[in-house]
Amino acid sequence: MNKLLVVAVLLALLAVSAESFRMPRQAEDKEEGPLTKLCNTVKSYYSDAVNTVSDYVETIKGLKLEEKAKNLYEETTTILSTYNSIVQDQIYHLLTSKP
């Protein structure tokens, strides 16, 4: 009786585990309609454009233009502040000078 029970349990486990190993059905290949082809084409063009722009951005970052622009701004503001001080001083002396 015990052997029969063990065989029945093993057979049940085998049936349950075999059910979980079923192969999924393969989807039938459907032909693409014109709208699907158009959407896929637009998606591919969009992804190509995004990749190209990303490459350009990486190239621009490689040129360190941001750092050069920052340095140019700092130099320009330093020079302009110097000339601004000179002009302010001249206007002050012009207005406060006694005739």
Side-chain angles (χ1 to χ4, degrees):
M1 184 75 167
N2 277 341
K3 291 181 184 179
L4 185 60
L5 184 62
V6 171
V7 170
V9 169
L10 288 177
L11 189 59
L13 288 176
L14 181 64
V16 170
S17 64
E19 184 177 319
S20 66
F21 287 115
R22 285 186 179 175
M23 295 294 291
R25 291 184 181 178
Q26 293 181 351
E28 296 178 14
D29 293 333
K30 296 181 181 179
E31 287 191 29
E32 294 181 347
L35 185 59
T36 307
K37 288 181 182 179
L38 178 67
C39 288
N40 290 339
T41 303
V42 169
K43 286 178 186 178
S44 68
Y45 284 146
Y46 176 76
S47 65
D48 290 344
V50 168
N51 291 338
T52 303
V53 170
S54 297
D55 292 342
Y56 286 150
V57 168
E58 291 300 321
T59 302
I60 289 171
K61 284 183 181 179
L63 296 175
K64 298 182 182 179
L65 293 178
E66 198 172 302
E67 183 180 329
K68 291 177 184 178
K70 182 180 176 184
N71 291 339
L72 180 65
Y73 174 76
E74 290 174 355
E75 292 172 1
T76 304
T77 54
T78 304
I79 293 169
L80 288 178
S81 66
T82 303
Y83 284 113
N84 187 26
S85 298
I86 293 170
V87 169
Q88 284 179 351
D89 189 49
Q90 293 296 320
I91 291 173
Y92 175 77
H93 286 293
L94 182 67
L95 295 175
T96 60
S97 66
K98 295 180 182 178

